[in-house]
Amino acid sequence: MVDKIKNFLSRFYIGIILFFLYVPIFVMIVLSFNSSRSRVIWGGFTLDWYRTLFSSSEVMQALSTTMILAFTSAIIATVIGTVGAIGISAMRERNYKIVLAFTNIPMLNADIVTGIALMLWFVRFMPLGFGSVLIAHITFNIPYVILCVMPKIKQMNLSIYEAARDLGANSIYAFVKITLPQLMSGIMAGFFMAFTMSMDDFAITYFTKGAGVNTLSTMIYSQIRKGIKPEMYALSTIIFAFVFLILLAVNYVPKMKNARKCK
Amino acid sequence: MEKKKRLNKRTWLSAPYLIWIVGFTIIPLVVIFQDAFVNAEGSFTMDNILAIFNPIHMKSMILSLAIAAGCTVICILLAYPLVLALRRLNMGREGFLVFGLILPMWMNFILRLLAWQMILSKNGILNMILGFFGIAPLPIANTWLSILIGVVYDYLPFMILPLYNAISEIDEDIIEAAKDLGAGGFTVFKKIILPLSMPGLLSGIVMVFVPSMTSFVVADVLGGGKIQLIGNVIEQEFTKNVDWGLGSGLSVSLMIFVLISMAFTMKNDPEGKESAIW
């Protein structure tokens, strides 16, 4: 009986937190169908914002910049980070600790300080633009990759790699066939993390982007004073639905397959 | 011997990353220090660093500190029961964490803050609902309270994730043993769960405290431009006042402050914070 009450309270509490996390998202989804431009008055159902969204070249430009940026920076960060993590893990204890301390700097430092420091450095030798934002994103993404990959390297059984080498595999073949598969889950988590962080970043992009380049975040920020265009709600709703379906597929399709196998 | 040689050779793989650290982590920090300590005439100055003690800047700094501290405490108080409830119901990585925490992050955080602005504003959704029940409207909009709600909302997931990772690894047998030996719920929490979740708690504190102290967007959106946190002050030195020296000086002061307070927090951490966030 006590257990039942406790279970109920646990469920209830999880529900409250979920409500807190999803209320603003629900508000945004409703607003994307609101025909009144006013943000509090319901003016009836409309799909107009979805229509104008796809004809707005400004929004589409920002969307493609954001996606290209997130994808490219996550890929480069994953490669440099994974290879770097393997190298760091083979270092002597003292050097290992020093490098990891430096790895933590972009994570510990405030975004605004990281962004400003990079901007002050970039303006000395290159124009601010897509290139500078890309470098900045790679810089703050690498620590997340290392953080995800490092525990997998520690769990990895080195003897298998050594055995492969002893049996005549060259180092690249052994790396691809033995090391990479063992690290794959960490690498994927690192990539996913880096991609998400890049998509959601504002402060560092804001300081390093220069004129002319806009991601979704910086574009929305520039609209705050003038008033947000309802197209942005429509776009967010589409992204939300898209990610929701992907996560659903990733999480439940493998399980369904497993269930079928069991039968 | 052979094995050792291979290990040493492997350290070369870190070369690209080390170059990257030097080029885009260390040098930018050197540059920001240089801009902070060298004035326009090229001579050494402490003015920009000491500008943090100017009463206006100090006020923003103290307010930012109060908001960050409040946010961190609230996040801890909200996250512990949640993580314990998740553990109790065996709702693990797939269900809650992915759909509850990661999914909202994919909706742009400025838009989510704007939604809070609509909920909390004078004629907003919250006051409309309260009015429906005959309760007088709450003047939350554009106050420190709405900023606090915004930062708690924004950074709560970063407290939950590391805490969940730490607590889900605690062996149920230890808790059972403590209960068998007569420990009550509170004793179990104090003597077992709290100490064993310490690494997760500490990385949660770091991941919540630093951004909530230094964000300038939350105050921009939910403070209505009336409340200036230290992040807003620094941002305006770069965008409006174009005093890069002063902006750099304030950034360096902020960085030193944050790093010192984090060093104090991490001192209690026996194992370091590797892998704690995922």
Side-chain angles (χ1 to χ4, degrees):
Chain A
M1 189 62 202
V2 177
D3 261 8
K4 261 189 184 162
I5 294 173
K6 274 190 178 164
N7 279 348
F8 171 76
L9 284 178
S10 298
R11 266 200 199 100
F12 186 70
Y13 185 72
I14 293 172
I16 291 178
I17 295 286
L18 276 179
F19 179 77
F20 178 63
L21 291 174
Y22 277 85
V23 154
I25 290 170
F26 180 72
V27 168
M28 246 185 299
I29 292 174
V30 171
L31 282 174
S32 76
F33 296 110
N34 184 5
S35 71
S36 153
R37 250 179 189 276
S38 154
R39 300 187 308 188
V40 271
I41 299 161
W42 178 251
F45 182 86
T46 181
L47 287 174
D48 281 357
W49 309 125
Y50 289 85
R51 228 166 280 141
T52 47
L53 168 68
F54 290 106
S55 55
S56 161
S57 63
E58 193 199 356
V59 180
M60 287 296 130
Q61 183 69 45
L63 176 65
S64 83
T65 306
T66 309
M67 298 303 290
I68 292 171
L69 190 61
F71 193 74
T72 321
S73 70
I75 289 272
I76 298 175
T78 307
V79 173
I80 296 179
T82 305
V83 174
I86 295 171
I88 297 167
S89 68
M91 283 180 179
R92 256 174 284 145
E93 182 76 8
R94 194 173 56 103
N95 296 348
Y96 172 84
K97 282 202 168 132
I98 293 172
V99 175
L100 278 196
F102 277 107
T103 301
N104 280 335
I105 288 181
M107 302 186 70
L108 282 178
N109 224 339
D111 276 3
I112 182 170
V113 178
T114 306
I116 289 170
L118 281 167
M119 185 261 284
L120 293 172
W121 172 226
F122 287 145
V123 293
R124 287 173 202 216
F125 67 94
M126 69 187 279
L128 295 182
F130 183 82
S132 59
V133 183
L134 181 63
I135 294 176
H137 277 230
I138 294 168
T139 306
F140 75 72
N141 275 341
I142 293 177
Y144 289 104
V145 176
I146 290 185
L147 218 65
C148 292
V149 174
M150 201 52 107
K152 298 282 168 216
I153 293 178
K154 288 197 172 153
Q155 289 165 17
M156 191 168 66
N157 188 346
L158 214 79
S159 314
I160 305 177
Y161 175 85
E162 301 291 341
R165 293 297 309 273
D166 287 347
L167 291 169
N170 67 32
S171 57
I172 294 170
Y173 187 80
F175 177 79
V176 172
K177 285 281 175 189
I178 307 288
T179 313
L180 220 48
Q182 290 186 75
L183 300 180
M184 214 25 146
S185 64
I187 294 172
M188 290 311 287
F191 175 80
F192 181 65
M193 194 85 178
F195 193 91
T196 312
M197 289 297 155
S198 171
M199 284 271 294
D200 210 37
D201 176 69
F202 167 72
I204 294 171
T205 314
Y206 178 71
F207 282 106
T208 53
K209 78 186 178 67
V213 180
N214 255 335
T215 63
L216 288 175
S217 297
T218 57
M219 195 179 80
I220 293 165
Y221 184 76
S222 69
Q223 290 179 359
I224 291 178
R225 297 253 147 66
K226 294 176 265 172
I228 295 288
K229 293 185 183 137
E231 292 96 293
M232 297 317 302
Y233 303 128
L235 179 62
S236 301
T237 305
I238 293 174
I239 294 176
F240 182 80
F242 186 68
V243 176
F244 181 76
L245 290 176
I246 288 181
L247 287 180
L248 209 62
V250 170
N251 272 284
Y252 289 101
V253 170
K255 261 187 222 157
M256 271 154 56
K257 266 189 195 149
N258 282 346
R260 231 175 272 156
K261 260 184 211 157
C262 288
K263 274 177 196 170
Chain B
M1 199 55 213
E2 176 73 7
K3 193 170 176 181
K4 206 162 201 184
K5 228 184 199 169
R6 274 187 191 165
L7 267 177
N8 287 338
K9 240 177 23 190
R10 202 169 300 155
T11 58
W12 282 103
L13 290 172
S14 61
Y17 175 53
L18 295 181
I19 293 168
W20 199 279
I21 291 187
V22 173
F24 301 111
T25 302
I26 296 175
I27 294 179
L29 288 180
V30 173
V31 168
I32 200 172
F33 269 87
Q34 188 193 349
D35 281 24
F37 284 106
V38 179
N39 63 15
E41 290 85 51
S43 51
F44 178 83
T45 176
M46 287 294 285
D47 292 355
N48 294 327
I49 296 289
L50 296 175
I52 193 78
F53 295 111
N54 166 328
I56 305 171
H57 298 153
M58 209 59 217
K59 198 181 145 204
S60 304
M61 188 77 179
I62 289 169
L63 187 62
S64 309
L65 196 61
I67 295 223
C71 172
T72 309
V73 170
I74 295 172
C75 283
I76 294 172
L77 293 179
L78 289 175
Y80 257 109
L82 178 80
V83 171
L84 291 175
L86 289 174
R87 182 188 161 95
R88 181 179 181 80
L89 298 174
N90 261 329
M91 285 166 73
R93 212 163 271 273
E94 305 100 35
F96 181 84
L97 292 184
V98 172
F99 287 97
L101 298 180
I102 312 284
L103 185 57
M105 279 189 217
W106 281 77
M107 243 178 173
N108 190 280
F109 86 103
I110 304 177
L111 283 179
R112 283 182 281 142
L113 288 174
L114 283 161
W116 274 111
Q117 190 191 43
M118 288 165 224
I119 295 169
L120 299 173
S121 70
K122 211 170 129 209
N123 303 313
I125 297 164
L126 178 70
N127 280 334
M128 233 150 67
I129 294 169
L130 289 178
F132 185 76
F133 291 106
I135 304 168
L138 295 171
I140 298 177
N142 301 342
T143 62
W144 61 269
L145 185 60
S146 71
I147 296 181
L148 189 60
I149 294 175
V151 282
V152 169
Y153 174 81
D154 232 9
Y155 302 119
L156 181 61
F158 295 107
M159 181 64 78
I160 297 174
L161 281 174
L163 211 51
Y164 174 81
N165 279 343
I167 285 189
S168 64
E169 274 166 24
I170 299 176
D171 197 336
E172 188 67 39
D173 293 345
I174 303 176
I175 295 172
E176 288 299 323
K179 280 184 185 159
D180 287 347
L181 293 169
F186 181 71
T187 314
V188 169
F189 181 78
K190 205 180 101 186
K191 295 271 181 187
I192 293 174
I193 294 174
L194 192 60
L196 286 178
S197 61
M198 201 43 92
L201 179 64
L202 290 175
S203 53
I205 290 175
V206 172
M207 293 185 71
V208 170
F209 183 84
V210 178
S212 63
M213 168 142 187
T214 57
S215 158
F216 60 98
V217 184
V218 182
D220 256 348
V221 175
L222 292 171
K226 285 180 205 152
I227 296 175
Q228 295 263 315
L229 298 185
I230 190 69
N232 301 79
V233 174
I234 294 174
E235 188 250 340
Q236 281 166 18
E237 289 308 329
F238 280 94
T239 52
K240 287 210 185 88
N241 306 341
V242 204
D243 188 343
W244 288 20
L246 181 55
S248 306
L250 292 174
S251 306
V252 168
S253 309
L254 178 66
M255 184 169 79
I256 292 168
F257 178 83
V258 165
L259 289 183
I260 289 174
S261 48
M262 288 309 105
F264 269 106
T265 315
M266 296 316 253
K267 226 176 75 181
N268 301 319
D269 185 359
E271 289 164 46
K273 54 171 270 182
E274 281 164 43
S275 88
I277 51 162
W278 199 252

